[in-house]
Amino acid sequence: GAGVSQTPSNKVTEKGKYVELRCDPISGHTALYWYRQSLGQGPEFLIYFQGTGAADDSGLPNDRFFAVRPEGSVSTLKIQRTERGDSAVYLCASSLTGGTGELFFGEGSRLTVL
Amino acid sequence: RKEVEQDPGPFNVPEGATVAFNCTYSNSASQSFFWYRQDCRKEPKLLMSVYSSGNEDGRFTAQLNRASQYISLLIRDSKLSDSATYLCVVTNFGNEKLTFGTGTRLTIIP
């Protein structure tokens, strides 16, 4: 399809494990965002890419979280030594240029840490 | 204090009624404002931008009050399909990051 694609849609892992979540943005969109959303809360900003570079990573909660976008398209969010508190829906969004306010979100990757 | 605050609701409103909810933001440098809609277990989608002079899109009216730092969303003649969570979103000058509120849950009752 032509929308933002995220894989896996569901991931169950054990505390302490490493997890990678993938985002394939809409073709041609230069801006890519990662958010996470817990039940009953709004999306919480994690990181924003403009092209290949992380323009704003101020939302990453700690150094266990890292994200890359090496070719300016697909992005991977990496979480090391997962904790139960990391359980949430991780949402990826893309935008044509950034700054327009219209983000196109994927359906999210639901992460459960046991 | 959260940067963007909303009454989480839920608002339970009969079909055909008018409903309004507000959102307040703490940063006076906030530049752009939006309402997003999120259906249960779905991703958020842009509903409308909010302009300084206020703007309307069909049954939906958005308004901005910079002096009091709040934005509002009014829904007229509410439909069952309007049931969703409405998220208030703010960006700050020189920053591409969109900050979301916690959302206001709306249920339209037949």
Side-chain angles (χ1 to χ4, degrees):
Chain A
V4 176
S5 175
Q6 292 189 245
T7 55
S9 54
N10 273 288
K11 177 71 177 178
V12 180
T13 191
E14 292 179 342
K15 180 185 170 187
K17 299 291 188 184
Y18 170 79
V19 165
E20 286 191 356
L21 307 175
R22 175 190 165 108
C23 173
D24 202 338
I26 293 172
S27 178
H29 280 196
T30 61
L32 185 145
Y33 300 74
W34 283 99
Y35 284 80
R36 72 176 174 182
Q37 187 172 26
S38 301
L39 194 63
Q41 301 296 313
E44 173 194 12
F45 172 79
L46 296 176
I47 187 169
Y48 157 64
F49 287 90
Q50 184 60 255
T52 60
D56 184 346
D57 64 357
S58 62
L60 295 177
N62 51 58
D63 62 5
R64 296 187 298 106
F65 288 75
F66 190 70
V68 295
R69 194 185 185 200
E71 297 177 358
S73 179
V74 170
S75 176
T76 305
L77 178 66
K78 308 180 181 193
I79 311 173
Q80 298 178 320
R81 304 183 304 280
T82 52
E83 299 178 356
R84 292 195 181 89
D86 298 335
S87 297
V89 176
Y90 287 81
L91 293 164
C92 176
S94 70
S95 175
L96 187 60
T97 57
T100 66
E102 182 163 23
L103 301 188
F104 296 86
F105 282 88
E107 294 185 344
S109 292
R110 182 177 297 277
L111 175 66
T112 303
V113 182
L114 300 176
Chain B
R1 183 184 172 189
K2 286 186 177 178
E3 191 170 343
V4 180
E5 296 208 54
Q6 295 183 250
D7 180 344
F11 284 58
N12 298 315
V13 172
E15 191 175 6
T18 295
V19 60
F21 20 85
N22 290 341
C23 159
T24 58
Y25 59 95
S26 61
N27 189 340
S28 59
S30 294
Q31 181 182 28
S32 302
F33 309 89
F34 310 91
W35 285 101
Y36 272 67
R37 170 193 169 128
Q38 186 171 26
D39 292 309
C40 189
R41 293 188 165 267
K42 296 288 190 181
E43 71 275 20
K45 292 182 180 177
L46 178 65
L47 177 66
M48 60 195 301
S49 302
V50 185
Y51 302 122
S52 296
S53 54
N55 49 297
E56 195 173 299
D57 183 0
R59 297 181 294 107
F60 297 81
T61 301
Q63 293 199 310
L64 167 64
N65 184 318
R66 285 192 185 272
S68 300
Q69 295 182 206
Y70 77 82
I71 70 173
S72 64
L73 180 66
L74 179 88
I75 306 174
R76 289 183 301 280
D77 186 25
S78 53
K79 313 289 185 192
L80 296 176
S81 57
D82 295 334
S83 296
T85 295
Y86 291 84
L87 297 157
C88 173
V89 184
V90 168
T91 68
N92 298 324
F93 181 76
N95 192 328
E96 313 293 351
K97 176 176 81 173
L98 276 69
T99 301
F100 286 76
T102 55
T104 297
R105 203 169 101 215
L106 173 66
T107 301
I108 306 301
I109 303 164

